[in-house]
Amino acid sequence: MLSVEGIAWTIYGIIVLVSLKTASTIALFTRYFQNKYESEFFATLVTILALGLVFSSLVLLPVDILLVSSTVDQTRGLKKEWATPDVVDSMTFNLTLVYYVSYGLITIFSFILIPFAYFFYEELDEEETLSDRIFGALKYTSFFVIISILLSMFGLFLKPTTKTPKIDLDWFKKLLTDSNGEKAISFLVACLVLLGMLVFITYTASGLSLLPIRMIKGRQGIDAEIEDVENRLTATKERQRVLKSRYSNRSIPAREQRELEELEDQERILARRLRTIQQDKTSFWQRTLSYFRPFEFLLGLFLLCVTLVLIVSIFLTIVDKIAYSLCGSQCGYVINHPNLFNPINYIFVKLSKIFLLDYVFMVGLILYFFLATMTGIIEIGIRFLWIVLYRIRKGSTAPQGLLVSAVLLTLS
């Protein structure tokens, strides 16, 4: 028992340490996208910590499954001799504790730290002192804290399946002692999961197709990208010349003046972009990537096949639950066992014959979902319905955009 549990937690610890070691990689990822002229140390730090928390939380599920499956003899389907109730309770307690810490930190980041960092940057002003910025950020963050408290209260008091109780002191004591605190936290986490499902539908679903297709197509060639930027830069300069020549002998109207200022800003952005591309063209990294292009194409094809398998598996699971559910919508379409062939289940069963291989596959699958979500956020941008709030672009992403993207990745 100790060996299995030790192996599981050792693997988890190694992955967490690796994720901490790759904090520099996460920092590079953050700095790659953040705007160089609008960066904020605190916002960047919170983004890096949030992404690190996501990485450490991703691998909890495989560890959970490994610990549970280790207590059962796969040949007989019975509990192993060492899997006594006390041992199982100890394993469950340790795992539950890690879950609470992980999801508690996710809740704190989602409702307190990230909103505070967001509004702390929003309060940035030359006339504002540090204390004023902190007070302003706390004022707006309190709104999210109130929401979390209200959701916790709903989880604590709301019991739709029970009769209306007699509200007195004994009822209140019973409310606090019957594990309702745990239910309140679970309800709060469930609300975050609901938001995460919206992120999954919007960004992960898009990323599952965009990521492999993007790898198959490859990046736009450096020369073609330079030509595109140069053409846009030429068009911008030409438009400026036309406006200036039109009003050379008289004052420029306010509307055209605003357009001229926007064109000048666009010219500076395009010129900076052109310099960056020209520097990248001669970099060692770009030359190295060109050699790995065939492998990128093959990996894209493989990931596209994985996406298709996932789609088929999800569809068959839905059909299976609807067709063979025990009690339909009343119990959430629960089934005793799968009745239809499921490709993902089949792969897991075959890989389980080799120790740890199925868990490696699960970790890879979870990371693929994470990367797909990230790709969806980068390609689609952060939107509210059809309104684009932030674009995730190299060297031009606002700190608020990075913070919101960290929230989306955390929820997913």
Side-chain angles (χ1 to χ4, degrees):
M1 183 279 296
L2 293 176
S3 60
V4 175
E5 188 175 9
I7 289 173
W9 288 117
T10 301
I11 293 173
Y12 178 75
I14 290 173
I15 295 176
V16 171
L17 287 176
V18 169
S19 67
L20 292 176
K21 282 286 186 181
T22 55
S24 58
T25 306
I26 299 173
L28 288 175
F29 165 80
T30 306
R31 293 184 64 85
Y32 177 82
F33 285 103
Q34 75 177 4
N35 194 315
K36 299 177 182 178
Y37 304 99
E38 297 182 6
S39 61
E40 167 73 22
F41 172 76
F42 184 64
T44 304
L45 178 63
V46 171
T47 303
I48 293 172
L49 292 176
L51 293 178
L53 176 62
V54 171
F55 277 112
S56 61
S57 301
L58 284 175
V59 292
L60 266 180
L61 182 60
V63 172
D64 188 354
I65 296 174
L66 175 60
L67 288 175
V68 172
S69 61
S70 65
T71 62
V72 179
D73 190 339
Q74 301 296 330
T75 58
R76 297 181 300 167
L78 301 175
K79 289 285 186 181
K80 295 181 180 179
E81 294 181 359
W82 57 263
T84 61
D86 292 337
V87 172
V88 174
D89 289 342
S90 175
M91 293 173 58
T92 305
F93 174 78
N94 293 333
L95 192 61
T96 303
L97 182 62
V98 177
Y99 267 115
Y100 274 123
V101 171
S102 178
Y103 285 100
L105 289 174
I106 288 176
T107 304
I108 291 172
F109 268 84
S110 300
F111 284 103
I112 299 176
L113 286 180
I114 293 179
F116 178 80
Y118 183 96
F119 293 114
F120 183 75
Y121 179 78
E122 286 286 336
E123 293 293 316
L124 180 61
D125 196 303
E126 294 181 356
E127 299 179 356
E128 296 285 341
T129 62
L130 179 61
S131 58
D132 292 335
R133 292 181 63 191
I134 293 175
F135 177 76
L138 287 174
K139 180 176 63 176
Y140 293 112
T141 306
S142 61
F143 174 73
F144 291 88
V145 176
I146 292 172
I147 290 178
S148 64
I149 293 174
L150 290 176
L151 291 176
S152 300
M153 297 299 289
F154 272 117
L156 185 64
F157 292 103
L158 194 62
K159 293 184 178 180
T161 58
T162 59
K163 297 180 180 179
T164 304
K166 180 182 178 182
I167 301 177
D168 53 14
L169 185 60
D170 293 334
W171 171 81
F172 189 73
K173 289 180 179 179
K174 187 175 184 298
L175 189 69
L176 296 177
T177 56
D178 285 353
S179 300
N180 288 292
E182 179 181 345
K183 293 178 182 177
I185 297 174
S186 300
F187 182 79
L188 185 61
V189 172
C191 293
L192 294 178
V193 171
L194 178 61
L195 295 176
M197 182 58 66
L198 297 178
V199 176
F200 189 87
I201 294 171
T202 305
Y203 292 106
T204 308
S206 304
L208 286 173
S209 59
L210 290 173
L211 177 59
I213 291 175
R214 190 178 178 185
M215 296 181 71
I216 292 172
K217 291 176 61 178
R219 280 192 58 189
Q220 185 182 10
I222 293 291
D223 294 332
E225 196 170 354
I226 290 176
E227 183 180 357
D228 178 60
V229 174
E230 286 178 342
N231 291 337
R232 291 165 60 189
L233 187 59
T234 302
T236 302
K237 291 180 178 179
E238 179 63 21
R239 178 58 181 166
Q240 290 182 60
R241 188 192 64 79
V242 170
L243 287 176
K244 290 179 180 179
S245 61
R246 183 184 301 172
Y247 300 99
S248 57
N249 298 324
R250 52 196 175 99
S251 60
I252 303 178
R255 180 180 177 182
E256 279 71 13
Q257 182 64 37
R258 286 195 300 270
E259 182 182 356
L260 188 60
E261 291 174 355
E262 291 176 358
L263 289 170
E264 290 173 351
D265 292 338
Q266 187 176 357
E267 180 185 354
R268 286 193 293 270
I269 293 172
L270 290 173
R272 187 164 61 245
R273 175 63 178 158
L274 184 60
R275 288 195 300 270
T276 303
I277 297 173
Q278 289 173 343
Q279 291 173 359
D280 290 343
K281 183 179 180 180
T282 58
S283 66
F284 172 77
W285 177 248
Q286 287 296 330
R287 291 198 300 269
T288 305
L289 285 179
S290 62
Y291 294 117
F292 285 95
R293 173 64 190 135
F295 299 100
E296 182 186 13
F297 177 80
L298 293 175
L299 181 60
L301 285 177
F302 172 74
L303 292 179
L304 185 60
C305 294
V306 172
T307 298
L308 294 175
V309 170
L310 287 171
I311 293 172
V312 172
S313 299
I314 293 172
F315 177 75
L316 291 176
T317 300
I318 294 173
V319 173
D320 195 7
K321 286 179 175 290
I322 293 176
Y324 300 100
S325 173
L326 297 175
C327 49
S329 59
Q330 296 180 355
C331 60
Y333 295 97
V334 175
I335 56 177
N336 283 330
H337 57 83
N339 295 278
L340 299 179
F341 172 77
N342 192 297
I344 292 294
N345 289 346
Y346 178 79
I347 293 173
F348 272 114
V349 170
K350 292 299 180 182
L351 292 179
S352 64
K353 297 178 180 179
I354 304 176
F355 181 65
L356 287 182
L357 194 57
D358 51 340
Y359 303 104
V360 172
F361 177 71
M362 175 171 285
V363 172
L365 207 58
I366 293 173
L367 289 177
Y368 180 46
F369 277 112
F370 176 77
L371 293 175
T373 306
M374 187 181 297
T375 303
I377 293 173
I378 293 172
E379 294 293 333
I380 298 174
I382 299 171
R383 298 170 178 259
F384 178 73
L385 300 179
W386 63 89
I387 303 172
V388 179
L389 301 178
Y390 300 104
R391 288 285 188 186
I392 310 299
R393 293 289 182 266
K394 176 185 175 182
S396 59
T397 306
Q400 302 98 313
L402 290 175
L403 288 168
V404 176
S405 63
V407 172
L408 297 177
L409 289 170
T410 303
L411 293 176
S412 66

